[in-house]
Amino acid sequence: MKTIAVIGSGQMGNGIAHVFAQSGYNVTLVDVREEALAKAMETIARNMDRQVAKGSLSEADKAASLSRLSTTTELAKGVESADLVVEAATERLDLKLKIFADLDRLCAPACILASNTSSISITQIAAATGRNDRVIGMHFMNPVPVMKLVEVIRGYATSDEVTKIILELSKALGKVPVEVNDYPGFVANRILMPMINESIYTLFEGVAGVSEIDTVMKLGMAHPMGPLQLADFIGLDTCLSILKVLHEGFGNPKYAPCPLLVNMVTAGHLGVKSGSGFYTYTPGVKELVVSPSFSK
Ligand code: NAD
């Protein structure tokens, strides 16, 4: 396996491309928006600069990694010679089904199609292709260059051979893969999202404020980041999509997304990526500032 295409160059796509390029693979990053590709390349270069400053990457390896990366807005061009495609586009079922149907048509028959989806059924995504044995979940964690875990999700029809290849490949990237089966939210988000949703309900019902909730979980449970800050970091739109998948998939009201989360997403307050969520994010400002809507 030498050539990888990454579909979607948002916060996950740029991290996935970074890790593959740094591990010696040729990577083409594909997005529908030229500006998203430019931003991704800037982010990758900046994150590699940080690694150089810390001494975990040499200048020469940085230059070599960057030279292995290219970008395009044309899906056909981006995937024509790919051995593996990792899809990391927006968390929407209709979008993923369309992308996978296109990938099936455009990619070589041996190409493995992986999705970085947080919660959408791999079995359902695979059914949009004529190669459901070669479709698998490769769920990286954010920020990808830092986080060790890859949740490897076997769809109902994913073959043993493809699962083995992806487990080995994840190790070659310096990650620790964990194999799980395909049920709503898999393992990571089935456990994480109800906690995030409950923290939003706790705020919504006026039990405590934003910093109070996050402080309780940071200092009381030794979480490195409070659940509201983590929700901002993941993206509130992504959190809402995952909760909807859990709610619909299990038919259990305990997963119903908090109305406050629904309102925030509808208003475009998506967290770090939009500059405002439970906290506000201004470039150059490191201190956590609670959003005006939630400050007393
Ligand atoms: P994001 O909003 O930062 O980026 C999504 C990108 O997809 C955007 O640049 C958008 O232009 C692009 N896109 C949309 N339609 C496309 C298409 N048809 N072809 C190519 N590109 C397209 O989202 P993200 O946080 O990077 O999430 C991407 C995926 O990763 C989602 O499935 C999400 O559930 C999953 N994920 C997210 C996190 C997280 O912490 N944010 C963690 C693990 C997995």
Side-chain angles (χ1 to χ4, degrees):
M1 202 168 277
K2 288 202 175 92
T3 306
I4 315 292
V6 177
I7 314 299
S9 68
Q11 47 182 352
M12 293 307 288
N14 83 63
I16 296 167
H18 174 146
V19 166
F20 272 107
Q22 200 182 319
S23 304
Y25 297 89
N26 294 319
V27 183
T28 307
L29 201 42
V30 183
D31 204 289
V32 282
R33 295 181 303 122
E34 197 70 67
E35 66 273 21
L37 291 168
K39 191 173 166 204
M41 290 304 290
E42 267 173 41
T43 306
I44 294 171
R46 200 174 49 243
N47 288 341
M48 286 188 181
D49 281 340
R50 259 190 223 142
Q51 290 173 290
V52 171
K54 273 202 249 154
S56 60
L57 185 70
S58 70
E59 275 291 353
D61 284 344
K62 176 193 146 190
S65 304
L66 289 176
S67 74
R68 286 190 280 269
L69 281 161
S70 59
T71 63
T72 180
T73 51
E74 285 173 52
L75 184 64
K77 203 171 130 207
V79 303
E80 64 189 355
S81 54
D83 302 309
L84 166 73
V85 177
V86 183
E87 172 276 321
T90 313
E91 184 78 344
R92 263 186 25 223
L93 176 65
D94 59 331
L95 185 74
K96 303 227 188 244
L97 294 182
K98 162 90 173 69
I99 290 174
F100 274 78
D102 288 344
L103 289 175
D104 190 38
R105 193 168 40 79
L106 298 168
C107 295
C111 179
I112 295 176
L113 307 180
S115 177
N116 182 54
T117 178
S118 302
S119 62
I120 294 173
S121 161
I122 298 298
T123 309
Q124 196 173 1
I125 289 174
T129 74
R131 58 176 92 185
N132 59 5
D133 57 325
R134 301 191 76 72
V135 177
I136 192 161
M138 206 176 177
H139 184 205
F140 291 86
M141 303 292 131
N142 190 11
V144 183
V146 177
M147 299 290 278
K148 283 277 176 206
L149 178 70
V150 180
E151 202 178 20
V152 174
I153 303 120
R154 285 189 77 128
Y156 193 80
T158 308
S159 71
D160 290 345
E161 179 214 352
V162 165
T163 306
K164 192 162 168 256
I165 291 172
I166 295 302
L167 291 170
E168 290 305 319
L169 176 67
S170 304
K171 289 183 200 158
L173 297 175
K175 303 295 184 196
V176 178
V178 172
E179 185 182 333
V180 309
N181 289 319
D182 183 26
Y183 288 97
F186 321 128
V187 172
N189 283 310
R190 179 166 180 173
I191 296 171
L192 175 65
M193 281 304 149
M195 183 190 73
I196 285 182
N197 200 33
E198 202 57 35
S199 70
I200 303 173
Y201 267 115
T202 308
L203 175 69
F204 180 58
E205 291 170 6
V207 179
V210 170
S211 4
E212 287 76 11
I213 292 168
D214 276 356
T215 303
V216 167
M217 297 306 285
K218 276 191 287 188
L219 302 187
M221 318 297 153
H223 289 193
M225 206 184 256
L228 297 172
Q229 187 188 358
L230 180 57
D232 273 358
F233 187 61
I234 293 169
L236 300 188
D237 52 342
T238 302
C239 292
L240 179 59
S241 299
I242 299 169
L243 280 161
K244 284 181 177 166
V245 168
L246 289 168
H247 191 205
E248 208 177 292
F250 290 115
N252 186 330
K254 79 175 176 183
Y255 298 110
C258 178
L260 174 60
L261 174 65
V262 177
N263 267 356
M264 289 174 77
V265 173
T266 310
H269 291 223
L270 308 181
V272 178
K273 67 177 141 185
S274 73
S276 148
F278 296 105
Y279 299 89
T280 52
Y281 303 90
T282 315
V285 177
K286 282 209 162 156
E287 183 201 349
L288 259 186
V289 180
V290 174
S291 287
S293 359
F294 303 114
S295 52
K296 289 179 196 137

